[in-house]
């Protein structure tokens, strides 16, 4: 299904003239220099073909060139009208093997001279004249070339617009020749598992897939059988999974396109590169990355508020009308590298409507009271970031499992919940995102009948909750506040010392901190003391005793109770007329 | 819709019906494939005189996925070395050392599956009545006997099975779902020259080519109709 959906996406791209997707027989390559020749074949100059990007850094220019990719291997294998400087100009900076470079240039020249009579094009002939006359020792006179050193180059005739390989006669000849080569190379016919038709089966799937985070820079393969343990029935390489040459090219091209950073169709979830697309063009595609990871930068306020308005609408269960048809099929593919192979972390097919409904549930579950500085709708990377000290400590499987839970609306992985609590205990901190994630886990478990709570947790303080763990969390927040008021500016509060133990084994901690609380109360003015005593009393009235041990679910409740109470303390309340004037400080 | 003579309910906690295109870093099909179903039936009962034909697959639980990583090996034990060892001419011990050829591979597998397979036999040898094979299978399935433990795609994911008598319960899965092209089975065709062969018959030692056949899997109300496996071979070496 993945390959078939990608194949369909390729057709969609091909139908769109703006997409610039490479046709069969061509591929996109990162070009760094351009050899500009006069019409008679004399060199004009070697230009730097890179372009500055938005941040002002020079980026390689992406150009459609003949052939699927640079052939791999150590042999001499020149490309057609593009290659690195060693092949094109016989130049390599700090050359360790000058003989090999000379050989490479000779092979490149020979290939083009051999093709000249068949191609029969003036631009191409100019290139041939240049290759005949070129002296590799002069390469150092070209400052651009010396500066760039490595990277690929293309040819261009001075004062003409497209590159030489884009000239119509050259293109036509290449396509004809490519098709012939392909037919000659065909080893096996078989039923293609993408199209169902009997066709020549690709031995290797090209072009290579680039842009999977952490993968090899030369590209990796989604379908590959690179070791003999993977073969079945004596079949070699990709014949094990019969895909026709055309289909292989198409799905690889489509996937490369989705993975391209500039396309805005990918996001990184931990070490997983996630791409998404819809079967038919929809404006939603341009927003999805933002929906998962709402930007926190305020550079572009209009866009920021637009995305947040969208999320608000989605969280309330409505489908934004500008996304057109909610029944459009929607695909999400998560990829992670394993050396030269790419593994599918997850694959999810649904409709745009279902997807947004599930995403809405996710944001709804995360809603919890927070301070004015905290952005609503925490982005995905922050949720994952809350499970570990640093990004590389996040277990690989967690990210995929979490995203799967969001996409399908199923409970969040237990691993995620456990990791959150571990962090809470370790650094004694219940921050906004963490609290939101814990609350979302507990509520979703309740809805799916996994250790259900008596009722779902609310967004903010719910003093009537019956769970003792929740009330203990509240009590802890009040005890901490008393200490803070009694000893302002203190470095080490009871939270820093006792939070972890209090949330796991309240029986051994609470008696001690309540004793300490007596000292803290003693330091306060009378009014403040009454105020704190009253609030503590209100909570202790709901507690029967201190259990010796809280399980994982109860620890989560404890954390939420603490967070709710703490938020409540710092929320300005409308003055209540019934409040005892003595307590108002 | 007529019911096939044989119906077996199978269920298990995990399953991996690997797609050929994602075989190395495994990703499962959404549901059991006909060839995996055939494998389960063969685990319960197999004779050289009969060939299993899977006719229909009923799906009772929506596909749910989970991820798994396992340490596996990168190479196969060498058949040539095994032969040498049998002749007593192999110098080194016949072995594959896992710590030298370790490979970690990821898998995206199914969780909690339940199916009913409807199937029949085709007789290859008519010297025995088909009723004999049918009754032998039924007896074995009812008692829970099997030649080897049936499994859901990978040996690591064993399954339970039971004989289904009477009408087949309806699945709760509503609507239609296009599952795309799915592996139907491998078609083996004898060839003359051993060098053209992909494999040899484990039964007769005959050289064979192996060709994968795919079918367009459509699930309607939880039921997948499996078309007959066209026996005609497609294509050959050009």
């Amino acid at each position: 299904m993945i390959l078939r959906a990608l194949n369909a996406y390729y057709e969609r791209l091909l139908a769109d003239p703006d997409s610039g997707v490479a046709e069969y027989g061509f591929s996109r390559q990162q070009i760094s220099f351009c050899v500009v020749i006069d019409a008679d074949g004399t060199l004009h100059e070697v230009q730097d073909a890179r372009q500055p990007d938005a941040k002002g850094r020079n980026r390689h220019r992406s150009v459609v060139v003949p052939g699927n990719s640079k052939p791999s291997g150590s042999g001499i294998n020149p490309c057609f009208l593009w290659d690195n400087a060693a092949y094109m100009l016989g130049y390599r900076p700090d050359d360790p093997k000058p003989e090999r470079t000379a050989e490479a240039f000779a092979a490149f020249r020979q290939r083009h001279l051999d093709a000249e009579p068949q191609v029969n094009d003036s631009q191409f002939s100019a290139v041939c004249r240049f290759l005949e006359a070129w002296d590799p020792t002069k390469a150092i006179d070209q400052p651009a070339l010396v500066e760039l050193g490595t990277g690929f180059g293309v040819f261009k005739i001075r004062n003409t617009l497209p590159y030489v390989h884009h000239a119509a006669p050259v293109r036509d000849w290449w396509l004809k020749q490519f098709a012939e080569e392909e037919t000659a190379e065909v080893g096996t016919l078989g039923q293609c598992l993408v199209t169902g038709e009997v066709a020549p089966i690709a031995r290797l799937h090209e072009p290579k897939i680039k842009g999977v985070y952490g993968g090899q820079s030369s590209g990796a393969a989604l379908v590959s059988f690179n070791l003999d343990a993977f073969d079945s029935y004596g079949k070699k390489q990709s014949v094990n999974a019969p895909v026709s040459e055309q289909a292989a090219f198409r799905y690889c091209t489509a996937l490369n396109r989705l993975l391209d950073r500039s396309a805005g169709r990918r996001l990184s979830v931990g070490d997983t590169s996630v791409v998404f697309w819809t079967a038919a063009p929809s404006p939603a595609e341009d927003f999805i990355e933002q929906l998962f990871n709402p930007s926190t930068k305020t550079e572009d306020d209009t866009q920021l508020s637009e995305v947040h308005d969208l999320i608000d609408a989605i969280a309330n269960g409505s489908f934004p009308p500008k996304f057109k048809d909610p029944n459009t099929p929607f695909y999400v593919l998560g990829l992670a590298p394993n050396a030269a192979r790419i593994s599918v972390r997850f694959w999810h097919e649904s409709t745009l409507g279902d997807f947004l409904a599930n995403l809405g549930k996710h944001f709804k579950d995360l809603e919890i009271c927070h301070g004015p500085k905290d952005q609503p709708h925490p982005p995905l990377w922050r949720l994952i970031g809350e499970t570990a000290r640093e990004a590389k400590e996040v277990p690989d499987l967690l990210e995929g499992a979490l995203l799967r839970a969001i996409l399908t609306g199923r409970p969040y992985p237990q691993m995620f919940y456990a990791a959150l609590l571990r962090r809470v205990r370790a650094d004694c901190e219940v921050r906004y995102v963490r609290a939101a994630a814990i609350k979302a886990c507990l509520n979703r478990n309740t809805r799916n009948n996994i250790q259900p709570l008596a009722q779902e947790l609310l967004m903010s303080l719910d003093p009537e909750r019956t769970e003792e763990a929740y009330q203990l969390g509240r009590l802890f927040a009040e005890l901490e506040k008393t200490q803070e008021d009694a000893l302002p500016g203190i470095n080490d509060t009871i939270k820093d010392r006792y939070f972890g133990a209090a949330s796991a084994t309240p029986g051994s901690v609470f008696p001690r901190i309540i004793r300490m609380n007596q000292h803290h109360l003693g330091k306060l003015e009378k009014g403040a003391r009454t105020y704190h005593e009253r609030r503590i009393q209100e909570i202790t009235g709901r507690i029967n005793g201190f259990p010796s041990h809280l399980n994982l679910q109860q620890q989560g409740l404890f954390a939420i109770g603490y967070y709710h109470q703490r938020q409540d303390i710092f929320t300005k309340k409308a003055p209540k007329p019934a409040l005892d004037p003595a307590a108002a400080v | 819709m007529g019911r096939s003579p044989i119906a077996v309910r199978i269920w298990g906690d995990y399953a991996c019906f690997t797609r050929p295109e994602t075989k190395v870093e495994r990703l499962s099909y959404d549901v059991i494939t006909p060839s995996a179903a055939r494998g389960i039936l063969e685990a319960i009962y197999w004779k050289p005189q009969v060939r299993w034909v899977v006719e229909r697959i009923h799906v009772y639980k929506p596909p749910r996925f989970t991820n798994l990583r396992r340490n596996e090996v990168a190479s196969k034990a060498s058949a040539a070395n095994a032969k040498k060892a049998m002749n007593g001419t192999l110098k080194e011990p016949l072995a594959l050392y896992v710590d030298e050829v370790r490979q970690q591979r990821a898998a995206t597998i199914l969780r909690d599956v339940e199916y009913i397979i409807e199937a029949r036999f085709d007789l290859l040898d008519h010297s025995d009545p088909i009723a004999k094979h049918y009754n032998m299978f039924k007896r074995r399935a009812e008692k829970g006997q099997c030649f080897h433990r049936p499994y859901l795609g990978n040996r690591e994911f064993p399954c339970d099975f039971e004989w289904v008598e009477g009408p087949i319960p309806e699945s709760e899965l509503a609507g239609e779902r296009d599952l795309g092209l799915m592996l139907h089975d491998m078609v083996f065709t004898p060839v003359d020259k051993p060098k053209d062969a992909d494999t040899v018959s484990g039964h007769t030692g005959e050289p064979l080519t192996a060709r994968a056949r795919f079918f367009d899997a459509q699930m309607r109300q939880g039921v997948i109709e499996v078309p007959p496996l066209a026996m005609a071979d497609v294509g050959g070496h050009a």
Side-chain angles (χ1 to χ4, degrees):
Chain A
M1 281 318 267
I2 299 175
L3 302 194
R4 199 190 242 193
L6 284 169
N7 204 45
Y9 185 66
Y10 176 83
E11 273 163 29
R12 202 189 117 186
L13 288 176
L14 208 58
D16 175 6
D18 296 333
S19 70
V21 72
E23 209 181 314
Y24 186 48
F26 291 83
S27 61
R28 266 185 185 279
Q29 296 291 337
Q30 303 297 319
I31 297 298
S32 58
F33 66 92
C34 177
V35 180
V36 184
I37 319 173
D38 281 316
D40 62 354
T42 51
L43 178 70
H44 176 65
E45 64 165 341
V46 177
Q47 273 179 356
D48 188 336
R50 297 175 305 174
Q51 289 166 311
D53 64 4
K55 288 180 189 150
R57 281 178 304 196
N58 274 329
R59 289 266 181 203
H60 296 300
R61 190 190 293 253
S62 174
V63 177
V64 175
V65 298
N68 282 341
S69 62
K70 176 82 192 143
S72 55
S74 55
I76 300 279
N77 35 30
C79 294
F80 188 70
L81 285 174
W82 68 279
D83 215 314
N84 55 35
Y87 279 97
M88 277 177 79
L89 303 167
Y91 168 76
R92 201 169 152 195
D94 310 321
D95 203 344
K97 277 195 217 155
E99 316 85 56
R100 190 190 136 82
T101 309
E103 242 179 89
F105 174 65
F108 185 81
R109 179 168 54 194
Q110 200 54 48
R111 177 168 190 194
H112 290 77
L113 291 179
D114 288 349
E116 195 189 352
Q118 296 161 37
V119 179
N120 194 17
D121 174 64
S122 62
Q123 292 202 0
F124 187 72
S125 295
V127 173
C128 291
R129 294 294 81 71
F130 161 74
L131 289 173
E132 276 175 341
W134 173 249
D135 176 5
T137 54
K138 285 193 190 139
I140 32 173
D141 301 339
Q142 298 295 331
L145 190 61
V146 175
E147 189 206 321
L148 287 161
T150 52
F152 292 130
V154 287
F155 288 108
K156 185 180 171 125
I157 306 292
R158 199 175 159 203
N159 297 332
T160 58
L161 207 55
Y163 300 108
V164 174
H165 61 263
H166 285 168
V170 180
R171 239 183 103 83
D172 291 349
W173 177 80
W174 171 259
L175 272 178
K176 197 169 126 249
Q177 188 262 356
F178 188 78
E180 275 166 20
E181 228 171 68
E182 207 90 281
T183 342
E185 270 180 17
V186 166
T188 322
L189 286 171
Q191 192 186 9
C192 168
L193 59 75
V194 178
T195 60
E197 282 154 16
V198 176
I201 298 303
R203 195 176 60 86
L204 293 172
H205 290 192
E206 305 236 282
K208 290 256 185 296
I209 291 158
K210 294 179 189 180
V212 176
Y213 173 73
Q216 292 181 351
S217 57
S218 57
L222 182 60
V223 178
S224 92
F225 299 82
N226 52 352
L227 293 165
D228 63 2
F230 311 149
D231 295 340
S232 290
Y233 302 112
K235 292 181 183 301
K236 286 287 162 217
Q237 292 184 318
S238 297
V239 181
N240 279 289
V243 176
S244 66
E245 293 268 5
Q246 282 248 352
F249 168 80
R250 289 170 155 215
Y251 92 77
C252 289
T253 308
L255 187 52
N256 271 327
R257 190 65 196 179
L258 289 167
L259 284 165
D260 194 332
R261 250 163 234 291
S262 58
R265 297 285 181 275
R266 65 170 269 172
L267 54 133
S268 292
V269 185
D271 75 334
T272 310
S273 300
V274 179
V275 292
F276 47 82
W277 71 100
T278 48
S282 163
E285 276 183 315
D286 296 327
F287 281 100
I288 287 157
E289 191 195 352
Q290 288 275 317
L291 293 184
F292 275 110
N293 287 332
S295 154
T296 44
K297 283 184 224 125
T298 43
E299 283 166 27
D300 191 351
D301 277 333
T302 43
Q303 209 202 343
L304 193 68
S305 64
E306 190 183 359
V307 169
H308 280 285
D309 289 349
L310 266 178
I311 297 178
D312 282 338
I314 291 166
N316 289 324
S318 67
F319 184 85
K322 70 171 168 186
F323 287 177
K324 292 185 189 160
D325 185 7
N327 291 321
T328 314
F330 177 75
Y331 308 103
V332 185
L333 174 62
L335 300 170
N338 187 353
R341 299 190 300 259
I342 297 172
S343 70
V344 176
R345 275 283 156 74
F346 57 85
W347 164 244
H348 183 70
E349 278 176 69
S350 64
T351 62
L352 208 49
D354 279 350
F355 160 67
L356 289 179
N358 281 330
L359 190 65
K361 266 191 233 161
H362 166 69
F363 282 125
K364 192 94 198 156
D365 282 339
L366 282 174
E367 277 174 2
I368 196 163
C369 56
H370 56 82
K373 275 190 200 156
D374 292 315
Q375 288 279 347
H377 316 304
L380 195 52
W381 63 267
R382 290 226 24 209
L383 293 181
I384 287 172
E386 289 298 344
T387 61
R389 271 179 301 184
E390 45 186 317
K392 66 170 194 252
E393 283 180 8
V394 178
D396 295 340
L397 291 180
L398 177 70
E399 295 134 2
L402 182 62
L403 197 52
R404 194 197 310 276
I406 296 171
L407 293 171
T408 55
R410 305 236 359 126
Y412 298 106
Q414 189 63 23
M415 190 168 39
F416 177 59
Y417 179 67
L420 286 169
L421 284 184
R422 204 162 45 235
R423 291 312 307 154
V424 166
R425 274 204 309 272
D427 54 21
C428 300
E429 195 73 67
V430 190
R431 285 186 293 259
Y432 158 57
V433 177
R434 225 172 245 179
I438 292 172
K439 178 214 163 212
C441 286
L442 288 171
N443 274 359
R444 210 171 257 208
N445 281 352
T446 300
R447 219 168 306 137
N448 287 282
N449 227 6
I450 304 166
Q451 283 198 324
L453 304 172
Q455 70 198 83
E456 289 192 17
L457 286 161
L458 303 181
M459 263 182 72
S460 53
L461 186 65
D462 177 12
E464 307 296 321
R465 280 195 82 86
T466 48
E467 289 98 349
E468 199 143 65
Y470 184 83
Q471 300 295 349
L472 286 172
R474 289 183 61 200
L475 177 61
F476 192 87
E478 282 300 340
L479 294 175
E480 182 196 0
K481 178 68 176 141
T482 313
Q483 185 190 28
E484 280 173 353
D485 287 354
L487 309 161
I490 183 177
N491 271 333
D492 225 14
T493 64
I494 59 167
K495 183 188 77 174
D496 302 309
R497 286 197 188 180
Y498 297 110
F499 188 90
S503 68
T505 52
S508 63
V509 177
F510 270 96
R512 194 178 327 163
I513 51 179
I514 284 176
R515 218 160 36 239
M516 285 163 75
N517 183 250
Q518 296 308 316
H519 297 293
H520 301 145
L521 285 172
K523 288 197 189 320
L524 288 167
E525 305 263 323
K526 185 164 184 300
R529 186 166 38 191
T530 331
Y531 167 76
H532 280 293
E533 272 177 339
R534 200 176 265 241
R535 292 185 62 119
I536 290 169
Q537 217 123 65
E538 190 270 318
I539 300 167
T540 40
R542 299 172 190 277
I543 298 171
N544 290 325
F546 300 114
S548 61
H549 176 79
L550 294 183
N551 64 25
L552 268 191
Q553 187 204 29
Q554 292 164 332
Q555 288 178 28
L557 280 168
F558 183 94
I560 299 292
Y562 169 79
Y563 179 82
H564 275 166
Q565 188 68 33
R566 188 106 184 127
Q567 288 295 322
D568 189 66
I569 291 169
F570 292 107
T571 311
K572 279 214 179 85
K573 283 167 213 75
K576 281 183 193 157
L579 210 68
D580 185 350
V585 182
Chain B
M1 187 162 59
R3 180 194 191 281
S4 305
I6 286 165
V8 178
R9 179 199 301 278
I10 52 171
W11 67 97
D13 294 336
Y14 298 99
C16 181
F17 309 108
T18 310
R19 289 170 181 273
E21 68 268 36
T22 47
K23 182 184 160 192
V24 177
E25 305 287 336
R26 292 191 187 86
L27 168 67
S28 177
Y29 280 112
D30 293 342
V31 298
I32 190 169
T33 61
S35 58
R38 173 178 60 82
I40 290 172
L41 298 171
E42 284 177 354
I44 303 170
Y45 179 80
W46 183 85
K47 284 277 183 285
Q49 293 90 342
V50 296
R51 182 191 290 127
W52 279 104
V53 179
V54 175
E55 295 191 315
R56 215 163 286 115
I57 291 167
H58 300 255
V59 184
Y60 290 93
K61 292 194 175 149
R64 268 176 58 202
F65 287 90
T66 188
N67 292 89
L68 192 70
R69 281 191 172 200
R70 288 179 290 185
N71 288 333
E72 303 184 33
V73 291
S75 54
K76 290 180 182 174
S78 154
N81 280 353
K83 221 169 251 175
K84 273 191 203 159
M86 283 156 77
N87 295 333
T89 54
L90 187 71
K91 298 283 190 299
E92 72 263 30
L94 179 67
L96 193 66
Y97 297 101
V98 276
D99 41 354
E100 286 167 18
V101 288
R102 184 111 65 202
Q103 275 276 310
Q104 190 168 60
R105 291 163 72 181
T108 302
I109 61 171
L110 290 166
R111 279 182 64 182
D112 197 15
V113 296
E114 184 181 344
Y115 308 105
I116 288 182
I117 307 168
E118 278 191 72
R120 66 180 160 83
F121 303 117
D122 275 352
L123 277 189
L124 298 180
D125 172 355
H126 291 270
S127 56
D128 287 324
I130 198 157
K132 177 188 144 183
H133 292 295
Y134 170 80
N135 284 314
M136 278 170 86
F137 179 84
K138 184 177 174 209
R139 224 163 28 237
R140 292 180 66 79
E142 281 172 344
K143 281 200 226 162
Q145 285 175 307
C146 51
F147 292 148
H148 59 256
R149 188 77 219 159
Y151 55 90
L152 298 163
N154 283 181
R155 274 287 167 93
E156 296 92 318
F157 309 133
C159 75
D160 294 317
F161 62 91
E162 73 180 10
W163 174 259
V164 179
E165 193 68 59
I168 289 171
E170 263 183 38
S171 167
E172 283 174 17
L173 302 182
E176 276 191 34
R177 189 160 163 195
D178 180 7
L179 299 171
L181 281 181
M182 183 187 271
L183 180 70
H184 190 309
D185 212 330
M186 301 298 288
V187 176
F188 297 95
T189 327
V191 282
D192 302 333
K193 287 183 233 145
K195 80 172 175 58
D196 294 339
D198 293 320
T199 183
V200 290
S201 162
H203 192 52
T204 60
E206 189 182 17
L208 300 168
T209 59
R211 292 263 177 274
R213 298 282 295 154
F214 297 87
F215 77 109
D216 206 3
Q218 302 289 336
M219 181 157 76
R220 295 190 182 87
Q221 263 71 46
V223 181
I224 299 162
E225 290 283 338
V226 182
L229 182 66
M231 295 311 287
D233 190 13
V234 285
H237 293 274

